[in-house]
Amino acid sequence: MKTKERLQLPPIDMPEQDPKVRVKNLNEVPTGYTPEMAMAEAKRCIQCKRPFCTEGCPVGIDIPAFIQLIEDGDFKGAIRKMKETNLLPAICGRVCPQEEQCQLVCTVGKSKKDPALSVNIGRLERFIADYEREHGEVELPPKPEPTGKKVAIVGGGPAGLTVAGDLIKHGHEVTVYEAFHKAGGVLIYGIPEFRLPKAIVQKEVDYLEKLGVVFKYNYVVGKTTPMKVLVEENDAVFVGTGAGLPRFMRVEGENLLGVYSANEYLTRANLMKAYSFPEASDTPLMKGKTVVTVGGGNVAMDCARTALRMGAKRSLIVYRRAEEQMPARLEEIHHAKQEGVEFRILQNPTKLIGDDKGWLKQVELLKMELGEPDSSGRRSPVPIKDSEFIEDIDVMIVAIGNSPNPLIPATFKELECTNWGGIIINESTGQTSVRGVFAGGDIVLGAATVILAMGHGRQAAEAMNMYLNSGRWSDLDEALSQERADVR
Amino acid sequence: MHKILEHSIIGPDVHLYRFDAPDVARYREPGQFVIVRISEDGERIPLTIADVDKDEGSITLIVQSVGKTTLELAQKKAGDSIPDICGPLGEATHIEKIGHVLCVGGGIGTAPLYPVAKGMKDVGNKVTSILGARSKELMILEEQMRSASDELVITTDDGSYGDKGLVTDAIQKLVDSGEKFDQCVAMGPPIMMKFVCLLTKKLGIPTLVSLNPIMVDGTGMCGGCRVTVAGKTKFACVDGPEFDGHEVDFDEMMARLTMYKDYEKESLEMYSEKHDCKLGVVGREK
């Protein structure tokens, strides 16, 4: 087929559950491509000589290659190609912001001057991962020669899982230390079932276990074992403990009963399955009649949509800036609106009001307008004087971000950190100030995305492998760029 | 999985469990707690560690059955296992030689108090302890506390054992008799800690309390355990569980403990009916 013909093919929509039906269940909202749909979508890729999409991917997936294999109907080949660079495609296909990465720079979208018309790379990625999972056993790569080197990974989230997968393939002995009773980090406690089914995350963890990765659960490094001991007992350590310290607004009444951090609300709902309380879960979560979520990111959308599924009559998003300034993905905002989430734009809570027993009853909101651009370049919200008004509510979820989890930095002072608590690393290797210790993901970035954490993990794993094999540390950066140049 | 090595009933609805948990025992210090999950659908509950045996790799928890999870745990026998014990968590008690330490334990709160009293005595402090309970059958760890104290006073609300009255009466009596205390450590029901703190503040005795609010992860991630201390929000799981009792907002803390009262009742009733067991039966014969 000629490029010109390919460019004329319409994008293939992914079927979705009806909004009215899906707010009453926890099943995934988009139901995925069929093989026919995937092959039709794959035909839209024009196989660029210089694939901008691959350059736009934080883990550098060979996107044209896997799409070609889909077009040819070789789904197994496509998944094999994918797993050369990305071990967790079922997850990335669902939660990556493709519209800001591969699909933003896709030539097809550019030629039509609309990134929304780019090849649906994320949906194709999801399709091949789901196809493999649904069609019998996942293939295992051949077992590598053991190197005899031991690696400890602190935190079983997206960054840690990526490092584990990469290093086990090089023959190192890998142990993941996870504080929760399940691995996956934000993938299991944060992102809701209707966006990322937990069974999929579990399958990916099972896959790593089959490759030989050992998982130690309920293991809080810094408490269960001092970080220092882990460093002494291993040849290398990766710290990927994430941004697990919720920010609150610091307004009056924030400790009233009914006020949650997004982390707590989502952890109760997702990891602890509060939606099945009391029949199949012992963890309760306040249902609420009117639930207000404060914030404009993906996490806020997840909270507001979860509240509807928990049975809230009204679910409101309160955001102090304008809608176009919301950091959430457009798709998430769209889904939330479809489901009936009310958007309160340019409003900010100033006070929470409770009854004499301490239960949240009302929120005082202040209206805002856009003023001059601030340091982030966005027009900053300015309060409109005397515009306060009261709204009756019974649950509030604070989703205004997280800071790096302080547990490791606080108990292992040797690690150099920024003044906001992030671990300082060499950007291209993930090396910290302590020999043999690497870090990546949200503990370095602050609250970012799953794929950026995986990108960090990928990069750190490459550097760790070189360090483990060569013992080079002070010039690891140069050695690595030399090797990367040689490969090219 | 963590095997139950011992399960004994030491009072009405009060159970002592010794669990196999070598990773938790290894670095545990007095004052720390664990988060336990007893089944695949279970909730995560924080429980203070009463004792450890590092050689055996075991920890001892003393747990009062008050809801569905603790009642379900009480049905388990030695040899059974539970899936998750996470810890040790929280900051350890700061144990140092300061002179005369007053340890005040109320009901089940004596369990976490014991390792602290023992630690305080081991480093050379004079330890005076007051144990309070509603009645004699609810008094626990009396012998252990006696061995960790230079002097021990017993009080019960109903006068069935020791002095009739509250622990605050006993504190006042000791001070009136001329005893001087450099530090007080109070562990027990929030209402008891609140009144002990009101008194010791008046008496000018610095007082440590151990808080046990609702938690999920125990690593500072969820913020469910937030308490107001000296006007600032603290997370009991990582900043505590011990705080300067004179600065704790006990009324807020007690209110927050009731957040899921109705849910807890529903869950307990459902379990009791299905498994034909209920609270208020076990251990009454003592």
Side-chain angles (χ1 to χ4, degrees), chain A residues 239 241-245 247 402-412 415-425 439-447:
Chain A
V239 181
T241 46
L245 183 70
R247 285 196 207 124
N402 284 286
S403 304
N405 192 302
L407 205 68
I408 298 290
T411 58
F412 190 58
L415 276 183
E416 274 178 33
C417 292
T418 64
N419 51 16
W420 48 268
I423 296 177
I424 297 172
I425 58 163
D442 281 1
I443 187 69
V444 168
L445 297 162

Side-chain angles (χ1 to χ4, degrees), chain A residues 179-182 189 216 218-220 223-226 229 244-246 248 254-261 263-264 267-268 272-273 277-287 357-359 405 407, chain B residues 23 26-27 32 37 39-44 68-69 72 83-91 214 216-217 219-224 226-228 233 235 238 252 255-256 258-260 263 266-267 270:
Chain A
F180 268 130
H181 52 271
K182 279 201 178 102
Y189 75 70
K216 289 217 170 201
N218 300 309
Y219 213 102
V220 183
K223 292 287 174 190
T224 307
T225 289
V229 173
L245 183 70
F248 284 92
E254 223 164 358
N255 290 350
L256 288 169
L257 285 76
V259 184
Y260 288 97
S261 73
N263 282 354
E264 181 178 7
T267 302
R268 284 178 177 272
M272 307 309 294
K273 300 182 285 192
F277 180 90
E279 291 80 12
S281 163
D282 294 338
T283 303
L285 180 63
M286 279 185 62
K287 291 185 174 72
K357 297 237 166 58
W359 291 90
N405 192 302
L407 205 68
Chain B
D23 287 340
R26 194 169 304 123
Y27 291 102
Q32 290 188 296
R37 209 171 65 109
S39 72
E40 274 315 310
D41 298 326
E43 60 179 334
R44 294 170 64 96
K68 192 254 178 181
T69 299
E72 190 180 343
D84 304 298
I85 300 180
C86 177
L89 298 166
E91 291 292 312
I214 295 168
V216 183
D217 61 295
T219 64
M221 196 275 278
C222 85
R226 54 198 193 277
V227 289
T228 302
T233 294
F235 289 1
V238 286
E252 178 189 272
R256 286 185 64 80
T258 67
M259 186 143 159
Y260 299 104
Y263 294 86
E266 186 188 359
S267 178
M270 198 170 175

Side-chain angles (χ1 to χ4, degrees), chain A residues 163-174:
Chain A
V163 175
D166 283 3
L167 291 182
I168 199 82
K169 284 197 296 188
H170 287 298
H172 307 300
E173 197 182 307
V174 180

Side-chain angles (χ1 to χ4, degrees), chain A residues 317-363:
Chain A
I317 292 248
V318 170
Y319 183 56
R320 66 194 187 108
R321 294 176 184 261
E323 184 172 330
E324 57 274 18
Q325 293 176 321
M326 280 192 164
R329 294 179 69 190
L330 285 177
E331 185 184 325
E332 303 305 330
I333 295 172
H334 169 69
H335 279 151
K337 284 188 171 171
Q338 269 188 331
E339 291 168 10
V341 174
E342 299 169 43
F343 280 60
R344 294 296 193 83
I345 301 305
L346 287 162
Q347 293 183 7
N348 201 29
T350 40
K351 192 163 55 170
L352 309 184
I353 301 156
D355 65 10
D356 57 350
K357 297 237 166 58
W359 291 90
L360 175 67
K361 291 288 166 195
Q362 293 175 316
V363 59

